[in-house]
Amino acid sequence: STKTNVMPPGTAWVVWLDVTLDSVRAVPAHLDHRLSLSILGRDGSVLAQTAVTVARIDTSTKSPVELLAPVQGGTWFMSEGCCADDTHHRRGLAAVDGTLLVPQRFAIDFYKLDDQNRAWVGDPSKLSSYFAYRQTVTASAAGTIVDVQDGVPNSTSLPKPPPIPPIDQTVGNHVIEQIADGVYVLYGHLDPESVKVRLGQHVTAGQALGLIGSSGNSTVPHLHFQIMTTPTFFPTDSRPFVFRQFELRGHVPERIWDDDLGLQPTGTLPVDPATPVTTRHDQLPLDRDIVRFG
């Protein structure tokens, strides 16, 4: 970019870059991050200039892992998914042992909708008003359970955000499943006492793991779902994935955060319908897509 920015003394910046290419064949072996810098005097005069390569990032052309949906049939709102400009997941920096990580960059929050595109009906301060509440969560692939947490209470402040919980309760009641070497699936914010699997258990694709709740850092009931490179949520790296099949039924044009979902005048989401509805194979639903599984 030719844009010039002045960085004030004593500040730190984080630069986020998304590189879009036309095809897999266009992916280079690596990406160099090169900065051109000028050191300015108090009067704005240039005291020195330099250019430095600050990082070389190796790229990968491996296919993303293919998964079944982690929920049973029905219509679902895909919130905070790839590849929006700015969401809690996509740019959620977390400092772990002095290192900045983005552990949720390809995570998706699942909210179930009815046939009128409503996420809730009735009193939004009640868990039972949300269609996602106590929906069954299923294994997206065969694998082995490597971490289980249960007994964390649901949020009692809905529809307002809860107090920030301790780091070990961020995703609340959850299951982490290893499906390949270095590939782990996280199913988070499950209902208390609903987890149906134990540590070390082998599960099959589609097997019930628990029920959706609103435990941990969750404002209203939903499933937090992502692929990780470690069996822990902190630290980890979030990787892309695809679902074997889903119907793309529409898109929510405006940002409605988890924190705001229950504060809307009604539970009806504003949806731009897909024309026509299409069946997608081996794709990742994008941020704010409305999809149907099963």
Side-chain angles (χ1 to χ4, degrees):
S1 171
T2 58
K3 183 179 179 181
T4 299
N5 291 289
V6 177
M7 187 175 181
T11 61
W13 287 1
V14 175
V15 179
W16 184 277
L17 299 174
D18 280 321
V19 179
T20 303
L21 301 171
D22 292 333
S23 69
V24 173
R25 292 187 298 273
V27 177
H30 57 262
L31 297 172
D32 288 331
H33 290 57
R34 188 169 176 81
L35 297 178
S36 297
L37 307 172
S38 298
I39 300 175
L40 305 181
R42 291 180 180 275
D43 60 356
S45 61
V46 177
L47 302 180
Q49 291 181 310
T50 187
V52 59
T53 299
V54 295
R56 168 167 284 192
I57 307 299
D58 293 331
T59 62
S60 173
T61 56
K62 292 182 180 179
S63 298
V65 61
E66 181 189 81
L67 302 171
L68 298 177
V71 291
Q72 296 179 322
T75 301
W76 295 82
F77 173 41
M78 306 282 93
S79 180
E80 296 203 53
C82 185
C83 295
D85 292 335
D86 190 9
T87 71
H88 296 85
H89 290 168
R90 188 68 174 156
R91 297 192 187 183
L93 284 169
V96 180
D97 293 333
T99 300
L100 286 175
L101 301 172
V102 189
Q104 306 177 82
R105 59 184 173 147
F106 288 101
I108 295 176
D109 285 341
F110 282 66
Y111 298 86
K112 190 169 188 183
L113 306 181
D114 70 357
D115 57 4
Q116 299 179 50
N117 292 320
R118 296 181 298 185
W120 54 269
V121 171
D123 184 350
S125 69
K126 295 182 178 180
L127 291 165
S128 58
S129 297
Y130 295 84
F131 293 107
Y133 183 55
R134 293 188 64 81
Q135 292 295 309
T136 300
V137 176
T138 54
S140 286
T144 301
I145 305 302
V146 296
D147 188 41
V148 173
Q149 185 173 15
D150 202 350
V152 178
N154 284 321
S155 169
T156 57
S157 62
L158 75 166
K160 297 180 180 180
I164 300 298
I167 193 170
D168 61 351
Q169 295 183 15
T170 299
V171 288
N173 304 311
H174 64 271
V175 171
I176 297 177
E177 176 194 12
Q178 183 174 11
I179 61 173
D181 290 340
V183 183
Y184 302 86
V185 188
L186 169 65
Y187 312 82
H189 303 311
L190 303 182
D191 206 39
E193 311 301 332
S194 76
V195 176
K196 302 179 183 297
V197 292
R198 65 185 184 278
L199 192 65
Q201 180 179 345
H202 179 78
V203 296
T204 58
Q207 182 173 335
L209 303 177
L211 303 176
I212 293 177
S214 195
S215 57
N217 192 21
S218 171
T219 300
V220 298
H222 69 284
L223 171 67
H224 177 95
F225 179 84
Q226 69 177 90
I227 297 294
M228 306 187 298
T229 57
T230 65
T232 57
F233 182 62
F234 291 120
T236 195
D237 187 18
S238 176
R239 296 294 175 88
F241 56 91
V242 295
F243 290 126
R244 187 172 299 172
Q245 180 175 313
F246 61 87
E247 283 186 352
L248 180 60
R249 304 183 68 84
H251 184 78
V252 176
E254 61 187 72
R255 170 68 58 204
I256 300 177
W257 298 112
D258 170 18
D259 292 352
D260 300 328
L261 189 65
L263 299 176
Q264 301 299 306
T266 72
T268 303
L269 299 182
V271 176
D272 290 337
T275 52
V277 172
T278 55
T279 300
R280 305 298 181 95
H281 299 275
D282 296 331
Q283 290 188 14
L284 175 66
L286 298 181
D287 179 49
R288 289 177 281 158
D289 278 348
I290 303 295
V291 305
R292 185 173 182 84
F293 297 109

